Amino acid sequence: MRSCLALAVSLVSLVIPAHAQDDTTANNQLIGELMAFHGSQAIVQAMTTHCYENTGLDSAYKTAAENWYLRNIGFLDLADRVINSLGGAAEGQQRAAETYGGSQIMSAYNQAPDKNSFCRAFLEQVDSGALDIDQQLPAPLKRAQEISASS
């Protein structure tokens, strides 16, 4: 179960649209990697909502999602600012990252033999900060911080 969760979380860092893969410029690659920040948000939002609804409306999931957002909003804003400074994202690129992140975590959930245990493990990961952007995507975050500091 944890391996499915780890796989889904690590896959979000691969959210780079086909046109960015073909374009070898560092800026386009970084934009794709920064879009993964939004994919991470989608993972947390989708799974906390799903688990909240399927575990008897346990408010711990809502609280975890709110706390994740508060811990990560600065990273999401930084990503958006840097993406804009690099020329902006392609049409639909953010939506694709969000869709990909949400679908990967739901796929992991659907494959889990014990859905309740999966949700509890996910909640622990969110609460501990293990799914925070600075923990999951440290290299793109560092590059974004460097770009922002030099602007």
Side-chain angles (χ1 to χ4, degrees):
M1 191 265 312
R2 282 191 184 262
S3 64
C4 289
L5 178 60
L7 175 63
V9 171
S10 66
L11 287 174
V12 76
S13 67
L14 300 177
V15 178
I16 302 172
H19 81 279
Q21 291 173 354
D22 294 337
D23 186 345
T24 59
T25 67
N27 286 353
N28 283 342
Q29 183 174 357
L30 180 57
I31 288 171
E33 291 170 354
L34 293 174
M35 281 296 153
F37 289 24
H38 293 288
S40 291
Q41 180 181 16
I43 285 174
V44 171
Q45 192 62 44
M47 192 48 50
T48 55
T49 299
H50 187 74
C51 289
Y52 169 77
E53 293 170 351
N54 289 293
T55 57
L57 305 180
D58 183 344
S59 63
Y61 291 98
K62 280 188 158 186
T63 301
E66 291 165 359
N67 290 337
W68 184 94
Y69 182 77
L70 292 173
R71 290 190 310 267
N72 289 275
I73 184 62
F75 302 138
L76 293 164
D77 287 344
L78 172 66
D80 291 340
R81 285 192 318 271
V82 171
I83 289 167
N84 288 333
S85 76
L86 296 175
E91 179 82 25
Q93 193 171 2
Q94 181 174 334
R95 184 73 191 133
E98 293 166 346
T99 300
Y100 182 79
S103 68
Q104 291 303 305
I105 195 62
M106 288 308 300
S107 177
Y109 173 83
N110 289 333
Q111 293 175 19
D114 183 343
K115 310 297 192 231
N116 191 45
S117 292
F118 184 94
C119 283
R120 288 290 168 200
F122 188 82
L123 179 63
E124 289 174 22
Q125 294 290 307
V126 174
D127 281 340
S128 74
L131 298 182
D132 286 3
I133 290 169
D134 60 332
Q135 299 299 309
Q136 291 297 310
L137 301 162
L141 175 60
K142 182 179 182 205
R143 291 198 326 262
Q145 290 168 329
E146 290 167 352
I147 290 169
S148 180
S150 68
S151 299

